[in-house]
Amino acid sequence: MPSLKEIEYYLRGIVLLIQGKPQGFGYLDLTDRGMTRSFWAMVWCFPATAISWVWWQTAFLRAYPPGTKTGLPFFLRLAMVEIANWIVPLVLAGLLCLALRLGRRFLAIVVVSNWLAVPLSYLYALIVLIVMFVPGAAGIASLLWLALILLLIFSLIRLLRMICGQQPLIIATLVLVLLVPSMFLSDYLQQYLGVYPA
């Protein structure tokens, strides 16, 4: 598992790439091993993810009659949704890279996508905490959530431009593949697994 210092090193590379500086690649491990290790990002995101799960559980219980119970199976189902949302877009991006003959760049796409998720997940958790503990902050939280989505899109565009070059159509398609499927998949799986607030 990568150490905190390694995570800081990787994130420095991500920031440099977003700034358009090619030296950011030197901070990232873009080998097969590096791609595999980048999935440890899921573990590093877990504390932030757990906060969002607690909030989701609260929303779920509010939507159902008093006495409704949730337990370990509820959180296991949320974990299944989280893993699917993480893996499926990357698989689709891989298929797209094969179709567009960008296979050699797929490793970099996976690495930057995985490590980018770490700071963004904690920013999302901060928004959730605002909703949970600041009365009447739902409107502000919605604006912050929108800003976070825009930040994610902006960051992906900048990162993919560094990886794929000046190819706007390819970059736009990759951004859509990395973001849109998880939105539909999340809603579908939450309803199918019975963890969606009615």
Side-chain angles (χ1 to χ4, degrees), residues 73-168:
F74 180 86
F75 292 104
L76 290 177
R77 291 170 185 169
L78 287 180
M80 291 171 60
V81 174
E82 192 73 27
I83 292 170
N85 284 338
W86 199 298
I87 299 299
V88 171
L90 292 177
V91 171
L92 294 176
L95 294 174
L96 181 62
C97 285
L98 286 176
L100 298 176
R101 298 182 180 179
L102 296 172
R104 290 184 300 174
R105 300 177 186 180
F106 178 63
L107 292 179
I109 292 172
V110 172
V111 170
V112 300
S113 297
N114 283 344
W115 292 125
L116 177 64
V118 175
L120 293 180
S121 68
Y122 283 91
L123 289 174
Y124 178 71
L126 179 60
I127 296 172
V128 169
L129 288 173
I130 291 173
V131 173
M132 291 174 68
F133 296 108
V134 180
I140 295 175
S142 296
L143 291 176
L144 292 174
W145 181 82
L146 177 60
L148 184 61
I149 293 295
L150 294 176
L151 176 62
L152 171 59
I153 294 171
F154 171 79
S155 300
L156 279 176
I157 290 173
R158 298 285 292 181
L159 290 167
L160 292 171
R161 182 180 297 170
M162 294 298 294
I163 294 170
C164 301
Q166 298 292 335
Q167 303 188 65

Side-chain angles (χ1 to χ4, degrees), residues 32-43:
D32 290 340
R33 177 178 177 273
M35 183 193 73
T36 302
R37 291 186 85 226
S38 72
F39 284 97
W40 281 105
M42 286 191 280
V43 177

